[in-house]
């Protein structure tokens, strides 16, 4: 009756044995389902995925707060997506979609501890997963002028991220990788204790993977594809223009 249902599951086991990051194990298990429906000129898709993740036997990365009132927490994180397409005409199409995403910290981002010359990389086992969502709305129009055929595509996107993971330069404790804030009495005392233990400032500065604040990327995209002939020459062209707006 025009319905298509797709369901399944996946299980990924990651085993790391390394002098650079240490020995670690992680498990990523998921179940998913998606439904697609087609009625005349209208197509609709909706799906959900439940993600469970643990690293070194520790849970919490995939916890999902179900209700703030009673603090109910699910051990699996739900990821939703949906989209639709409608054919306004034979060469005129309208589309829209929205979806969520989650990315768990990699072993290297959490546990790498190394130095190359004066460059130090510190571990951060307290990293939390990146989460976000993306939305799009677009319009596509086919055109024909003589022997030339083309397709105009206009679309708008929004991508929003929380807890983005990025390597940040700063002053860190080489023993545990924690940030040292020398502008506070506690941070200054920690810095002085490390100096007394034989560490220099060059041992304390470097990069560490950290969770950044929320970021939003908005974009408007114009694209035009065409194909045609001039004499015996066939010409294929692509013209594209994008406008970005990044908010941190």
């Amino acid at each position: 009756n025009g319905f298509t249902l797709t369901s399944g599951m996946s299980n990924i086991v990651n085993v790391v044995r390394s002098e650079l990051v240490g020995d670690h194990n992680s498990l990523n298990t998921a179940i998913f389902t998606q439904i697609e429906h087609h009625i005349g000129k209208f197509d609709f898709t909706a799906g959900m995925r439940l993600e469970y993740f643990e690293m070194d036997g520790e849970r919490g990365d995939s916890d999902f707060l179900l209700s703030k009132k009673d603090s109910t927490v699910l051990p699996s994180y739900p990821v939703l997506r949906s989209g639709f397409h409608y054919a306004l005409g034979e060469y005129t199409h309208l589309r829209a979609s929205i979806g969520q995403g989650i990315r768990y910290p990699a072993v290297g981002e959490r546990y790498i501890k190394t130095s190359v010359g004066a460059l130090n990389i510190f571990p951060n086992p307290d990293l939390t997963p990146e989460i976000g969502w993306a939305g799009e709305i677009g319009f596509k129009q086919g055109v024909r002028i003589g022997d030339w055929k083309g397709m105009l595509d206009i679309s708008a996107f929004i991508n929003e991220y929380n807890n983005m993971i990025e390597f940040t330069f700063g002053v860190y404790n080489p023993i545990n990788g924690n940030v040292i804030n020398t502008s506070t009495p506690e941070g200054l005392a920690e810095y002085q204790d490390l100096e007394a233990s034989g560490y220099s400032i060059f041992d304390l500065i470097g990069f560490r993977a950290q969770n950044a604040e929320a970021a939003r990327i908005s974009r408007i995209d114009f694209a035009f594809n065409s194909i045609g002939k001039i004499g015996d020459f066939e010409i294929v062209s692509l013209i594209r223009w994008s406008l970005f707006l990044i908010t941190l």
Side-chain angles (χ1 to χ4, degrees), residues 189-200 204:
E190 184 179 6
Y191 174 77
Q192 291 172 343
D193 289 341
L194 290 169
E195 269 194 328
S197 301
Y199 291 98
S200 70
L204 310 181

Side-chain angles (χ1 to χ4, degrees), residues 84 94-97 135-139 154-157:
F84 80 86
L94 180 67
R95 69 183 185 276
S97 65
E136 175 199 5
I137 184 169
F139 173 79
I154 304 173
S155 55
F157 302 84

